Amino acid sequence: METMAKDGAAQEATVTPNKDVSEDNLKGYTVIYVLGGPGSGKSTQCAKIATYFGFCHLSVGDLLEAEVETRSEYGKMIEDCKKEGKLVPSDLVVKLLQQAMQRSQNKKFVIDGFPRNEENRAAAESFMKIEPDFVLFLDCSEEEMKRRLLNRNQGRVDDNISTIQKRLKVYFECTLPVINYYSAEGNVRKIDAERSPEEVFEAIKDVFFELKEKHGETRMTL
Ligand SMILES: Nc1ncnc2c1ncn2[C@@H]1O[C@H](COP(=O)(O)OP(=O)(O)OP(=O)(O)O)[C@@H](O)[C@H]1O
Ligand SMILES: O=c1ccn([C@@H]2O[C@H](COP(=O)(O)O)[C@@H](O)[C@H]2O)c(=O)[nH]1
Ligand SMILES: [Mg+2]
């Protein structure tokens, strides 16, 4: 049986990143990571940020789904990870993310649900040469996250109580340390995500406007 690595990643499939893509880097881009537990509202808020501030919204979960639809060699492994609430190996995730960024005409990205573990974070920094302008942390209670996921009704294979428990475990054990890493660098903006979607977005807008004022147009082009 397949085991789960300490960092929540499935222990299989090593992907060699596409050389043409890996040789370029993404310096000069505005990158905001949006992190939080499963069901904390990351995708809901990223969509609002994209519309309001003109960012390109990249959800790694959606990029992985799209990869499955291309019937690629990684399809089964990705589907198995999703069903089990495990993380897909970093090299594949980073490759998909990097390709999506390079294909976009936009240079401002709001990245939804990545990096999920320390290996993801290090791969993004060393391979793509990207560091986030800041990290939005959507802070929500476990009880509320579970309630939202069980009511999502979008037909996701991972919205069942057994997979939700596994995703929560990965979140607490692997993703929270990443948030703490950025927090220690003073780069996390924590948002109370327990409120209504509209109230959460108002708080997010305040963060964007504050940072724009602080850094001016050079770092944050809104
Ligand atoms: N602030 C909120 N209050 C109540 N419900 C919300 C709120 N934000 C999002 N939702 C609802 O909760 C569900 C989960 O939201 P969403 O998909 O945005 O979470 P997520 O963090 O992206 O989850 P995942 O990690 O599974 O991708 C959706 O049905 C969404 O409509
Ligand atoms: O960086 C990532 C992001 C996602 N995954 C896998 O996809 C599912 C769904 O992701 P959502 O962001 O919740 O839509 C997640 O449970 C993982 O299996 C990943 O491996 N790495
Ligand atoms: Mg989501």
Side-chain angles (χ1 to χ4, degrees):
M1 201 178 89
E2 189 190 30
T3 54
M4 198 201 287
K6 197 165 168 273
D7 65 357
Q11 289 177 315
E12 55 171 39
T14 305
V15 181
T16 308
N18 178 338
K19 263 197 151 250
D20 293 332
V21 174
S22 67
E23 278 160 7
D24 259 334
N25 70 50
L26 298 156
K27 270 187 180 160
Y29 285 38
T30 297
V31 173
I32 291 156
Y33 288 154
V34 179
L35 295 176
S40 57
K42 299 181 295 297
S43 300
T44 302
Q45 296 302 327
C46 285
K48 288 180 185 292
I49 292 167
T51 305
Y52 193 89
F53 292 111
F55 275 60
C56 171
H57 172 191
L58 289 180
S59 154
V60 173
D62 290 352
L63 292 175
L64 289 168
E65 273 300 312
E67 179 71 9
V68 172
E69 278 159 29
T70 66
R71 299 181 172 272
S72 95
E73 61 191 297
Y74 307 116
K76 184 172 179 325
M77 182 268 290
I78 293 171
E79 280 187 317
D80 289 348
C81 283
K82 193 164 177 182
K83 278 185 205 148
E84 287 301 312
K86 289 178 185 169
L87 299 179
V88 172
S90 293
D91 41 8
L92 176 57
V93 166
V94 162
K95 177 183 163 181
L96 294 177
L97 192 53
Q98 191 171 30
Q99 284 177 338
M101 290 173 83
Q102 289 177 330
R103 282 177 189 149
S104 171
Q105 300 296 311
N106 206 327
K107 288 205 161 191
K108 300 185 295 179
F109 297 94
V110 61
I111 299 185
D112 172 356
F114 174 92
R116 293 282 243 267
N117 63 10
E118 186 53 28
E119 187 193 77
N120 285 175
R121 183 196 65 72
E125 277 181 25
S126 65
F127 182 63
M128 292 198 286
K129 307 276 183 277
I130 56 165
E131 290 199 41
D133 286 62
F134 65 93
V135 176
L136 266 184
F137 167 34
L138 301 186
D139 187 28
C140 194
S141 66
E142 192 174 330
E143 194 189 22
E144 175 64 12
M145 292 193 284
K146 277 190 197 158
R147 192 172 20 246
R148 289 179 189 175
L149 294 176
L150 291 171
N151 288 315
R152 183 153 53 180
N153 286 327
Q154 288 175 3
R156 278 180 55 148
V157 290
D158 51 353
D159 279 348
N160 58 78
I161 193 61
S162 151
T163 311
I164 290 168
Q165 298 287 17
K166 293 175 186 163
R167 290 159 70 199
L168 283 165
K169 188 168 187 301
V170 169
Y171 168 65
F172 288 118
E173 290 179 3
C174 308
T175 313
L176 259 187
V178 175
I179 296 169
N180 290 337
Y181 170 92
Y182 286 118
S183 190
E185 293 195 330
N187 216 13
V188 171
R189 303 294 177 276
K190 181 168 155 178
I191 304 286
D192 172 6
E194 200 91 10
R195 299 168 286 176
S196 73
E198 295 73 25
E199 287 170 313
V200 174
F201 188 55
E202 284 307 310
I204 290 175
K205 281 200 300 197
D206 288 345
V207 168
F208 274 69
F209 288 133
E210 258 170 46
L211 282 156
K212 181 179 157 67
E213 227 163 76
K214 193 166 155 202
H215 296 300
E217 293 296 327
T218 49
R219 279 196 79 208
M220 287 275 305
T221 312
L222 297 184

